[in-house]
Amino acid sequence: DVQLQASGGGLVQTGGSLRLSCTVSGFTFKDYAIGWFRQAPGKEREGVSVIATDGKSYYADSVKGRFTISSDNAKNTAYLQMSSLKPEDTAVYYCAANEFIGILTMKGDPDGFDYWGQGTLVTVSS
């Protein structure tokens, strides 16, 4: 079974930092692109960041310069380091994986990902 487990969410003040983790099992981690997405109440799910198997990355404009995506093949885990957090970053954050790395995948489009984990809530207080 393919499983993705996101963790690391919590409550943080504006300007603070959090690191999310996405631990995967059931597939060869290094062969898959990993994406981070978020969904705020009443809004559509949006792509935040993606890391491809060759290390190339994508960031949404809203998080560029503040968030950093990385991966550790030995631990089958991807990370999203979030800094300078803003109240508008409040959302449930999800990680996802896809073997085929196409245009949708690297644009952070949810339709470009086949496997999803449960979310972890990030709340940024003002």
Side-chain angles (χ1 to χ4, degrees), residues 86-114:
K86 306 174 182 180
E88 50 264 43
D89 294 318
T90 295
V92 177
Y93 283 71
Y94 301 87
C95 61
N98 205 64
E99 185 175 18
F100 174 69
I101 304 175
I103 294 174
L104 292 180
T105 305
M106 289 311 298
K107 287 174 60 178
D109 190 314
D111 288 338
F113 289 81
D114 289 333

Side-chain angles (χ1 to χ4, degrees), residues 3 8 25 48 63 66 87 113:
Q3 292 188 347
S25 61
V48 174
V63 306
R66 300 189 298 122
F113 289 81

